[in-house]
Amino acid sequence: MAGPVIRLENVARLYRLGDEEVQALRGVSLSFYPGDMLSVMGPSGSGKSTLMNILGCLDRPTSGSYWLDGEEVGQLKDSRLAAIRNRKIGFVFQTFNLLARTTALANCELPLIYSGMGQRERRERATAALAQVGLGERMHHRPNELSGGQQQRVAIARALINRPAIILADEPTGNLDSKSGVEILRLLQQLNQQQGITVLIVTHDPFVARHTQRIVRVHDGQVVGDDAVAQPLVAGEAVRPSDAALAATV
Amino acid sequence: MNLYESFRLALRALTANKLRAALTMLGIIIGVGAVITLMSAGQAVQNYVTDQFRGIGSNLLFIAPGQFASNRRGGPASASTGGKGLTNGDAEALRDPLAAPDIAMVAPELTGAATIKYGSESALFSVSGVLPEYSTLRNAYPEVGSFINEQDQAAGSRVVALGPDVVKKLFPENAYPVGAIVRIDDVAFKVVGVMHAKGGSGFGNEDNVAFIPLSTAQTRIFPSRGGRGDYHVSLVYVQAVTENRSNAAAQEIKEIIRRRHSIKPGDEDDFSVVSQADILSSFTDILGALTVFLGAIGAVSLLVGGIGIMNIMLVSVTERTREIGLRKAVGARRRDILAQFLVESVVLAVIGGIIGIVLGAFGSQAISLFNKDIRPVLSVNAIILATSVSAAVGLFFGIYPAARAASLDPIAALRYE
Ligand SMILES: Nc1ncnc2c1ncn2[C@@H]1O[C@H](COP(=O)(O)OP(=O)(O)OP(=O)(O)O)[C@@H](O)[C@H]1O
Ligand SMILES: [Mg+2]
């Protein structure tokens, strides 16, 4: 097996608010391999988003080290981190975060603008990415002319456009109905299986987590569990069981 | 991200909120428009005045009685009366080719206001007693008939050459009333000519004057004598042989008249010699100062416009916090965000500037509404100045908002509601 795409060693993140200190992460060590698809679960305030921010190079660990794709990125300067976010990471947010006044196509192109790519090539890549997420017909629509699920698909197309090593999705289905949620999961599974992109999903929903191969549990800034999922569900094929049944399985 | 992308982005952001963009530009539009209008007007007036003076002839000197309030350059401010005044004798003395080799022509003038009457029409006009030389010296030629000639002067004839405005007033029906008899302060004069219209000039309106022989003016209309029983004149025009002999001519005039007026060495002159160049340069100085002052008013408006831009850019940065967070998350560097907002404010200012230039171009034409003889000019300097100043204003007032945008923390920005 190839080396890990992501390796965290003893990563801590300390927030200081005046005299008060919040240990959002305390000594997290994790490794993800190319082609992994995993979920991060944990109660509110346990440090999931903090972890995602560090993994996404939006934030730096207070201590510990972080290797991404063989390069230690934990303490790089801002402009280098920006370049890494641009080329190696795709973000999918709970609230989609599309630019309101621009078309799906333009939204999709956004990362490529900061890669210094020419206009024509950007257009081609964005068109292809939108077709891949099934929005070939909706390229010139603005976000307010699209459903929530469609908007999230635009966001996924934007995340995959620069062929990132990893896609980080913080509650990607949190704002969607269950049908749209499942469609998003199917897309993420496809990207993972067909293109070998590592996908990491933060979720509160055990049913969503059951669609990944591995579940990392976080509690109070520490990893308290890291288990393979016995039989990952295939999005769209499994019917959502009752919440009680779910709670029992996970 | 290159400049072209930033430019497109800026245009898109501005067109998304056209009314706001337009209102923001207003300060710049007014400022640039004002600067261009005022500077162009200043230049037009300056050109006009220079032309007028050039028409009079630049080797012309004036001698007036009394000392101008200030001898400093920059100034004939006000003439004070006093001293002995100037007389025919003074003027004649200047004709001496030995004492005054640099003087080509001398034309004394006696001016005053008098009532001119024709039939039932009558009004107060300026009446000038002159010699025939006046015509050549001042470019004052008759349109019809003749000017004052040697015989008129010698005989003290009661003849008058009327300015076109005088004719218009007294003879509404007849543009060329040569041969008519008018009464100047109740003395009958025969009209021998009507002067060519000159328009207003640097020396007041010469079209509003009636010319009579100097001798007639001195004996019949404005009789006034000096100490030796010699008749007074109000002004003596002197033409130097060439333009660059003007200073030498002025020196000769001073020596001759000081001697005639028995002024002791060290005492002040009781007359003033002013050259065309003196008047022109002081006029140009005043106009230049005025233009700078008006330009400064425009500049203040530009400053206010710049503050308006800064204000709106700050609002815009706050509104677009999430957008900034997102751009950073997908790879925008600090300087990409900085460039985006800087270009936006510069574009805002420069578009405002261009609109202002167009308005200013129209405004600069308006000067001819006040005086149709002034040829409007569009000051190219003002355009270059206004464009670069508005770009600089956009840059300067854009820096703070853009720096604020660039330094936003992406995590906080993405979470911003
Ligand atoms: N900018 C910050 N300043 C101070 N404390 C912070 C900051 N961001 C997060 N924290 C704290 O760090 C801890 C972890 O927060 P985090 O947002 O990672 O939780 P989470 O697991 O994502 O929660 P949720 O499921 O509600 O999204 C919390 O106690 C939070 O209050
Ligand atoms: Mg969170």
Short mmCIF file of all heavy atoms in Angstrom, two decimals, chain A residues 6 8 25 27-33 36-43 46-49 51-52 55 166 198-206 208-210 212-229 250:
data_model
loop_
_atom_site.label_atom_id
_atom_site.label_comp_id
_atom_site.label_asym_id
_atom_site.label_seq_id
_atom_site.Cartn_x
_atom_site.Cartn_y
_atom_site.Cartn_z
N ILE A 6 -2.72 11.45 4.28
CA ILE A 6 -2.76 12.38 5.40
C ILE A 6 -2.20 11.69 6.63
O ILE A 6 -2.55 10.54 6.92
CB ILE A 6 -4.20 12.87 5.66
CG1 ILE A 6 -4.52 14.03 4.71
CG2 ILE A 6 -4.37 13.31 7.11
CD1 ILE A 6 -5.91 14.55 4.84
N LEU A 8 -1.52 12.71 10.71
CA LEU A 8 -1.48 13.66 11.82
C LEU A 8 -0.74 12.99 12.95
O LEU A 8 -0.97 11.82 13.24
CB LEU A 8 -2.90 13.99 12.30
CG LEU A 8 -3.82 14.73 11.35
CD1 LEU A 8 -5.16 15.00 12.05
CD2 LEU A 8 -3.19 16.05 10.93
N LEU A 25 -8.47 20.47 20.25
CA LEU A 25 -7.90 19.16 19.90
C LEU A 25 -6.75 18.90 20.86
O LEU A 25 -5.94 19.78 21.12
CB LEU A 25 -7.37 19.17 18.46
CG LEU A 25 -8.38 19.28 17.32
CD1 LEU A 25 -7.64 19.33 15.98
CD2 LEU A 25 -9.39 18.14 17.34
N GLY A 27 -3.87 16.15 21.12
CA GLY A 27 -3.08 14.99 20.72
C GLY A 27 -3.80 14.04 19.79
O GLY A 27 -4.03 12.88 20.13
N VAL A 28 -4.17 14.52 18.64
CA VAL A 28 -4.83 13.64 17.67
C VAL A 28 -3.78 13.05 16.72
O VAL A 28 -2.98 13.77 16.15
CB VAL A 28 -5.89 14.41 16.87
CG1 VAL A 28 -6.43 13.56 15.74
CG2 VAL A 28 -7.00 14.89 17.78
N SER A 29 -3.78 11.72 16.58
CA SER A 29 -2.91 11.07 15.61
C SER A 29 -3.78 10.21 14.71
O SER A 29 -4.56 9.39 15.19
CB SER A 29 -1.87 10.18 16.31
OG SER A 29 -1.03 10.99 17.10
N LEU A 30 -3.66 10.43 13.41
CA LEU A 30 -4.52 9.72 12.45
C LEU A 30 -3.77 9.56 11.15
O LEU A 30 -2.91 10.38 10.81
CB LEU A 30 -5.79 10.54 12.16
CG LEU A 30 -6.94 10.54 13.15
CD1 LEU A 30 -7.94 11.61 12.72
CD2 LEU A 30 -7.63 9.18 13.20
N SER A 31 -4.07 8.53 10.40
CA SER A 31 -3.54 8.39 9.04
C SER A 31 -4.66 7.99 8.11
O SER A 31 -5.45 7.10 8.43
CB SER A 31 -2.45 7.31 9.00
OG SER A 31 -1.31 7.75 9.69
N PHE A 32 -4.75 8.69 6.97
CA PHE A 32 -5.71 8.29 5.93
C PHE A 32 -4.92 7.92 4.69
O PHE A 32 -3.93 8.57 4.36
CB PHE A 32 -6.67 9.42 5.56
CG PHE A 32 -7.34 10.07 6.74
CD1 PHE A 32 -7.62 11.43 6.72
CD2 PHE A 32 -7.70 9.34 7.87
CE1 PHE A 32 -8.23 12.05 7.80
CE2 PHE A 32 -8.30 9.95 8.95
CZ PHE A 32 -8.57 11.31 8.92
N TYR A 33 -5.40 6.90 3.99
CA TYR A 33 -4.67 6.41 2.82
C TYR A 33 -5.42 6.79 1.56
O TYR A 33 -6.63 7.03 1.59
CB TYR A 33 -4.47 4.90 2.92
CG TYR A 33 -3.48 4.59 4.01
CD1 TYR A 33 -3.90 4.46 5.33
CD2 TYR A 33 -2.12 4.50 3.72
CE1 TYR A 33 -2.99 4.23 6.34
CE2 TYR A 33 -1.20 4.26 4.73
CZ TYR A 33 -1.64 4.13 6.03
OH TYR A 33 -0.72 3.93 7.03
N ASP A 36 -9.24 6.14 0.68
CA ASP A 36 -10.09 5.96 1.88
C ASP A 36 -11.37 6.77 1.74
O ASP A 36 -11.39 7.82 1.12
CB ASP A 36 -9.36 6.48 3.13
CG ASP A 36 -8.50 5.40 3.79
OD1 ASP A 36 -8.49 4.28 3.25
OD2 ASP A 36 -7.85 5.72 4.81
N MET A 37 -12.43 6.26 2.36
CA MET A 37 -13.64 7.07 2.51
C MET A 37 -14.07 6.89 3.95
O MET A 37 -14.39 5.78 4.37
CB MET A 37 -14.74 6.61 1.56
CG MET A 37 -16.04 7.34 1.76
SD MET A 37 -16.96 7.50 0.23
CE MET A 37 -18.37 8.43 0.78
N LEU A 38 -14.02 7.97 4.72
CA LEU A 38 -14.31 7.78 6.13
C LEU A 38 -15.15 8.92 6.68
O LEU A 38 -15.28 9.98 6.06
CB LEU A 38 -13.01 7.65 6.91
CG LEU A 38 -11.95 8.69 6.63
CD1 LEU A 38 -11.85 9.62 7.80
CD2 LEU A 38 -10.63 8.02 6.34
N SER A 39 -15.71 8.67 7.83
CA SER A 39 -16.50 9.72 8.46
C SER A 39 -15.96 10.01 9.85
O SER A 39 -15.32 9.17 10.47
CB SER A 39 -17.98 9.32 8.52
OG SER A 39 -18.12 8.00 8.94
N VAL A 40 -16.21 11.25 10.27
CA VAL A 40 -15.81 11.67 11.61
C VAL A 40 -17.09 11.99 12.36
O VAL A 40 -17.93 12.75 11.87
CB VAL A 40 -14.91 12.92 11.55
CG1 VAL A 40 -14.60 13.41 12.96
CG2 VAL A 40 -13.63 12.61 10.81
N MET A 41 -17.27 11.36 13.52
CA MET A 41 -18.47 11.60 14.31
C MET A 41 -18.07 12.05 15.70
O MET A 41 -16.95 11.81 16.15
CB MET A 41 -19.32 10.33 14.39
CG MET A 41 -19.83 9.87 13.04
SD MET A 41 -21.03 8.53 13.18
CE MET A 41 -22.48 9.41 13.73
N GLY A 42 -19.00 12.66 16.37
CA GLY A 42 -18.73 13.11 17.73
C GLY A 42 -19.72 14.16 18.13
O GLY A 42 -20.34 14.80 17.27
N PRO A 43 -19.91 14.33 19.43
CA PRO A 43 -20.90 15.31 19.89
C PRO A 43 -20.49 16.73 19.51
O PRO A 43 -19.35 16.98 19.15
CB PRO A 43 -20.91 15.12 21.40
CG PRO A 43 -19.63 14.42 21.72
CD PRO A 43 -19.24 13.63 20.52
N SER A 46 -16.98 18.78 20.05
CA SER A 46 -15.92 17.80 20.32
C SER A 46 -14.66 18.09 19.51
O SER A 46 -13.63 17.48 19.74
CB SER A 46 -16.43 16.39 20.01
OG SER A 46 -16.89 16.34 18.67
N GLY A 47 -14.74 19.00 18.54
CA GLY A 47 -13.54 19.38 17.80
C GLY A 47 -13.51 18.91 16.36
O GLY A 47 -12.47 18.97 15.70
N LYS A 48 -14.65 18.47 15.84
CA LYS A 48 -14.69 17.95 14.47
C LYS A 48 -14.33 19.03 13.45
O LYS A 48 -13.50 18.82 12.57
CB LYS A 48 -16.09 17.38 14.15
CG LYS A 48 -16.57 16.32 15.10
CD LYS A 48 -17.92 15.76 14.71
CE LYS A 48 -19.04 16.80 14.72
NZ LYS A 48 -19.37 17.29 16.09
N SER A 49 -15.00 20.18 13.59
CA SER A 49 -14.73 21.25 12.62
C SER A 49 -13.30 21.76 12.76
O SER A 49 -12.65 22.08 11.76
CB SER A 49 -15.71 22.40 12.82
OG SER A 49 -17.01 21.95 12.50
N LEU A 51 -10.76 20.01 13.57
CA LEU A 51 -9.96 19.02 12.86
C LEU A 51 -10.00 19.23 11.35
O LEU A 51 -8.98 19.22 10.66
CB LEU A 51 -10.47 17.61 13.23
CG LEU A 51 -9.77 16.43 12.56
CD1 LEU A 51 -8.29 16.39 12.97
CD2 LEU A 51 -10.45 15.12 12.95
N MET A 52 -11.23 19.46 10.85
CA MET A 52 -11.39 19.67 9.41
C MET A 52 -10.63 20.90 8.94
O MET A 52 -10.01 20.88 7.88
CB MET A 52 -12.87 19.85 9.06
CG MET A 52 -13.67 18.60 9.20
SD MET A 52 -13.14 17.38 7.99
CE MET A 52 -14.48 17.44 6.87
N LEU A 55 -7.04 19.95 8.74
CA LEU A 55 -6.82 19.07 7.59
C LEU A 55 -6.91 19.87 6.29
O LEU A 55 -6.19 19.61 5.34
CB LEU A 55 -7.87 17.95 7.56
CG LEU A 55 -7.72 16.89 8.66
CD1 LEU A 55 -8.87 15.89 8.59
CD2 LEU A 55 -6.38 16.17 8.52
N ILE A 166 -7.76 15.11 -1.64
CA ILE A 166 -8.76 14.79 -0.62
C ILE A 166 -9.93 15.79 -0.68
O ILE A 166 -9.73 16.98 -0.96
CB ILE A 166 -8.10 14.80 0.79
CG1 ILE A 166 -9.14 14.49 1.86
CG2 ILE A 166 -7.40 16.12 1.09
CD1 ILE A 166 -8.52 14.11 3.19
N THR A 198 -9.58 10.58 -1.82
CA THR A 198 -9.88 10.33 -0.42
C THR A 198 -11.02 11.27 0.00
O THR A 198 -10.97 12.47 -0.28
CB THR A 198 -8.64 10.60 0.45
OG1 THR A 198 -7.57 9.81 -0.07
CG2 THR A 198 -8.88 10.27 1.89
N VAL A 199 -12.05 10.70 0.63
CA VAL A 199 -13.19 11.52 1.02
C VAL A 199 -13.38 11.42 2.53
O VAL A 199 -13.36 10.33 3.09
CB VAL A 199 -14.48 11.05 0.31
CG1 VAL A 199 -15.69 11.83 0.83
CG2 VAL A 199 -14.36 11.21 -1.19
N LEU A 200 -13.53 12.58 3.16
CA LEU A 200 -13.72 12.60 4.60
C LEU A 200 -14.99 13.39 4.90
O LEU A 200 -15.12 14.54 4.48
CB LEU A 200 -12.50 13.26 5.24
CG LEU A 200 -12.33 13.10 6.74
CD1 LEU A 200 -10.86 13.22 7.09
CD2 LEU A 200 -13.14 14.13 7.49
N ILE A 201 -15.93 12.74 5.59
CA ILE A 201 -17.22 13.39 5.87
C ILE A 201 -17.40 13.56 7.37
O ILE A 201 -17.26 12.60 8.13
CB ILE A 201 -18.38 12.52 5.33
CG1 ILE A 201 -18.24 12.30 3.82
CG2 ILE A 201 -19.72 13.17 5.65
CD1 ILE A 201 -19.26 11.32 3.26
N VAL A 202 -17.68 14.78 7.80
CA VAL A 202 -18.08 15.00 9.19
C VAL A 202 -19.59 14.88 9.23
O VAL A 202 -20.28 15.49 8.42
CB VAL A 202 -17.64 16.39 9.68
CG1 VAL A 202 -18.30 16.70 11.02
CG2 VAL A 202 -16.13 16.46 9.80
N THR A 203 -20.10 14.08 10.14
CA THR A 203 -21.56 13.93 10.19
C THR A 203 -22.03 13.58 11.59
O THR A 203 -21.29 13.05 12.41
CB THR A 203 -22.03 12.87 9.18
OG1 THR A 203 -23.45 12.83 9.18
CG2 THR A 203 -21.49 11.50 9.52
N HIS A 204 -23.29 13.95 11.85
CA HIS A 204 -23.94 13.53 13.08
C HIS A 204 -24.83 12.33 12.81
O HIS A 204 -25.38 11.75 13.73
CB HIS A 204 -24.84 14.67 13.61
CG HIS A 204 -24.08 15.76 14.27
ND1 HIS A 204 -23.53 15.61 15.52
CD2 HIS A 204 -23.76 17.01 13.87
CE1 HIS A 204 -22.92 16.72 15.86
NE2 HIS A 204 -23.03 17.59 14.87
N ASP A 205 -25.00 12.02 11.52
CA ASP A 205 -26.02 11.06 11.12
C ASP A 205 -25.40 9.67 10.95
O ASP A 205 -24.60 9.45 10.04
CB ASP A 205 -26.62 11.56 9.80
CG ASP A 205 -27.77 10.67 9.33
OD1 ASP A 205 -27.96 9.58 9.91
OD2 ASP A 205 -28.45 11.08 8.36
N PRO A 206 -25.77 8.70 11.79
CA PRO A 206 -25.19 7.35 11.69
C PRO A 206 -25.46 6.71 10.33
O PRO A 206 -24.62 5.98 9.81
CB PRO A 206 -25.91 6.57 12.79
CG PRO A 206 -26.48 7.59 13.70
CD PRO A 206 -26.75 8.81 12.89
N VAL A 208 -25.57 8.21 7.43
CA VAL A 208 -24.56 8.73 6.52
C VAL A 208 -23.23 8.05 6.78
O VAL A 208 -22.54 7.58 5.87
CB VAL A 208 -24.42 10.26 6.66
CG1 VAL A 208 -23.21 10.79 5.89
CG2 VAL A 208 -25.69 10.95 6.19
N ALA A 209 -22.88 7.93 8.05
CA ALA A 209 -21.60 7.34 8.42
C ALA A 209 -21.49 5.90 7.93
O ALA A 209 -20.42 5.45 7.52
CB ALA A 209 -21.40 7.40 9.93
N ARG A 210 -22.60 5.19 7.91
CA ARG A 210 -22.61 3.79 7.48
C ARG A 210 -22.26 3.65 5.99
O ARG A 210 -21.98 2.57 5.52
CB ARG A 210 -23.99 3.15 7.73
CG ARG A 210 -24.29 2.89 9.19
CD ARG A 210 -23.78 1.52 9.65
NE ARG A 210 -24.61 0.43 9.16
CZ ARG A 210 -24.19 -0.55 8.37
NH1 ARG A 210 -22.94 -0.57 7.96
NH2 ARG A 210 -25.01 -1.52 7.97
N THR A 212 -19.66 5.03 4.69
CA THR A 212 -18.20 5.12 4.55
C THR A 212 -17.56 3.84 5.07
O THR A 212 -18.22 3.02 5.73
CB THR A 212 -17.65 6.32 5.33
OG1 THR A 212 -17.90 6.12 6.73
CG2 THR A 212 -18.33 7.62 4.89
N GLN A 213 -16.25 3.72 4.78
CA GLN A 213 -15.58 2.47 5.14
C GLN A 213 -15.08 2.47 6.57
O GLN A 213 -14.76 1.44 7.13
CB GLN A 213 -14.38 2.23 4.21
CG GLN A 213 -14.74 2.19 2.74
CD GLN A 213 -13.61 2.73 1.87
OE1 GLN A 213 -12.54 3.10 2.37
NE2 GLN A 213 -13.85 2.78 0.56
N ARG A 214 -15.00 3.67 7.16
CA ARG A 214 -14.32 3.75 8.43
C ARG A 214 -14.93 4.92 9.20
O ARG A 214 -15.27 5.94 8.61
CB ARG A 214 -12.86 4.05 8.12
CG ARG A 214 -11.91 3.95 9.26
CD ARG A 214 -10.51 4.17 8.68
NE ARG A 214 -9.70 4.86 9.64
CZ ARG A 214 -8.54 5.45 9.38
NH1 ARG A 214 -8.08 5.47 8.15
NH2 ARG A 214 -7.87 6.02 10.34
N ILE A 215 -15.12 4.76 10.47
CA ILE A 215 -15.69 5.84 11.29
C ILE A 215 -14.72 6.21 12.40
O ILE A 215 -14.33 5.37 13.20
CB ILE A 215 -17.04 5.42 11.91
CG1 ILE A 215 -18.04 5.07 10.80
CG2 ILE A 215 -17.59 6.53 12.80
CD1 ILE A 215 -19.37 4.55 11.31
N VAL A 216 -14.30 7.51 12.39
CA VAL A 216 -13.43 8.02 13.46
C VAL A 216 -14.31 8.75 14.45
O VAL A 216 -15.11 9.60 14.05
CB VAL A 216 -12.36 8.97 12.88
CG1 VAL A 216 -11.55 9.60 14.00
CG2 VAL A 216 -11.46 8.22 11.90
N ARG A 217 -14.19 8.39 15.71
CA ARG A 217 -15.01 9.06 16.72
C ARG A 217 -14.15 10.01 17.54
O ARG A 217 -13.08 9.65 17.99
CB ARG A 217 -15.64 8.03 17.65
CG ARG A 217 -16.75 7.30 16.97
CD ARG A 217 -17.24 6.13 17.79
NE ARG A 217 -18.02 5.27 16.91
CZ ARG A 217 -19.28 5.57 16.54
NH1 ARG A 217 -19.86 6.65 17.01
NH2 ARG A 217 -19.92 4.78 15.72
N VAL A 218 -14.69 11.23 17.69
CA VAL A 218 -13.96 12.26 18.43
C VAL A 218 -14.78 12.63 19.65
O VAL A 218 -16.01 12.71 19.60
CB VAL A 218 -13.75 13.50 17.54
CG1 VAL A 218 -12.90 14.53 18.25
CG2 VAL A 218 -13.12 13.12 16.22
N HIS A 219 -14.08 12.80 20.75
CA HIS A 219 -14.77 13.26 21.95
C HIS A 219 -13.83 14.17 22.70
O HIS A 219 -12.70 13.80 22.99
CB HIS A 219 -15.18 12.06 22.81
CG HIS A 219 -16.08 12.45 23.94
ND1 HIS A 219 -17.45 12.54 23.78
CD2 HIS A 219 -15.81 12.79 25.22
CE1 HIS A 219 -17.99 12.92 24.92
NE2 HIS A 219 -17.01 13.08 25.82
N ASP A 220 -14.31 15.37 22.97
CA ASP A 220 -13.53 16.30 23.77
C ASP A 220 -12.11 16.49 23.24
O ASP A 220 -11.14 16.49 23.99
CB ASP A 220 -13.49 15.77 25.22
CG ASP A 220 -13.32 16.92 26.20
OD1 ASP A 220 -13.40 18.08 25.75
OD2 ASP A 220 -13.10 16.66 27.40
N GLY A 221 -12.01 16.60 21.93
CA GLY A 221 -10.71 16.89 21.33
C GLY A 221 -9.80 15.69 21.19
O GLY A 221 -8.62 15.84 20.85
N GLN A 222 -10.30 14.51 21.46
CA GLN A 222 -9.46 13.32 21.32
C GLN A 222 -10.15 12.28 20.47
O GLN A 222 -11.38 12.21 20.44
CB GLN A 222 -9.17 12.72 22.70
CG GLN A 222 -8.12 13.52 23.44
CD GLN A 222 -7.94 13.01 24.85
OE1 GLN A 222 -8.93 12.87 25.60
NE2 GLN A 222 -6.70 12.74 25.21
N VAL A 223 -9.36 11.45 19.78
CA VAL A 223 -9.93 10.34 19.03
C VAL A 223 -10.22 9.22 20.02
O VAL A 223 -9.33 8.77 20.73
CB VAL A 223 -8.94 9.84 17.95
CG1 VAL A 223 -9.51 8.64 17.23
CG2 VAL A 223 -8.63 10.96 16.97
N VAL A 224 -11.50 8.84 20.07
CA VAL A 224 -11.86 7.79 21.04
C VAL A 224 -12.26 6.49 20.35
O VAL A 224 -12.56 5.51 21.01
CB VAL A 224 -13.01 8.26 21.97
CG1 VAL A 224 -12.53 9.40 22.85
CG2 VAL A 224 -14.22 8.67 21.16
N GLY A 225 -12.28 6.50 19.03
CA GLY A 225 -12.63 5.26 18.33
C GLY A 225 -12.26 5.39 16.88
O GLY A 225 -12.28 6.50 16.32
N ASP A 226 -11.87 4.31 16.24
CA ASP A 226 -11.48 4.33 14.83
C ASP A 226 -11.75 2.93 14.30
O ASP A 226 -10.93 2.04 14.42
CB ASP A 226 -9.99 4.71 14.72
CG ASP A 226 -9.57 4.93 13.27
OD1 ASP A 226 -10.34 4.55 12.35
OD2 ASP A 226 -8.47 5.47 13.05
N ASP A 227 -12.98 2.71 13.75
CA ASP A 227 -13.39 1.36 13.39
C ASP A 227 -13.77 1.26 11.93
O ASP A 227 -14.40 2.17 11.39
CB ASP A 227 -14.62 0.94 14.21
CG ASP A 227 -14.38 1.15 15.69
OD1 ASP A 227 -13.47 0.51 16.24
OD2 ASP A 227 -15.08 2.03 16.28
N ALA A 228 -13.43 0.15 11.33
CA ALA A 228 -13.90 -0.13 9.98
C ALA A 228 -15.39 -0.42 10.04
O ALA A 228 -15.89 -0.98 11.02
CB ALA A 228 -13.15 -1.31 9.41
N VAL A 229 -16.12 -0.02 8.99
CA VAL A 229 -17.54 -0.35 8.91
C VAL A 229 -17.64 -1.72 8.29
O VAL A 229 -17.02 -1.99 7.24
CB VAL A 229 -18.28 0.69 8.05
CG1 VAL A 229 -19.74 0.30 7.88
CG2 VAL A 229 -18.16 2.07 8.68
N VAL A 250 -24.56 1.15 14.79
CA VAL A 250 -23.30 1.89 14.76
C VAL A 250 -22.69 2.09 16.15
O VAL A 250 -23.40 2.42 17.06
CB VAL A 250 -23.52 3.27 14.09
CG1 VAL A 250 -22.17 3.83 13.65
CG2 VAL A 250 -24.41 3.14 12.89
#
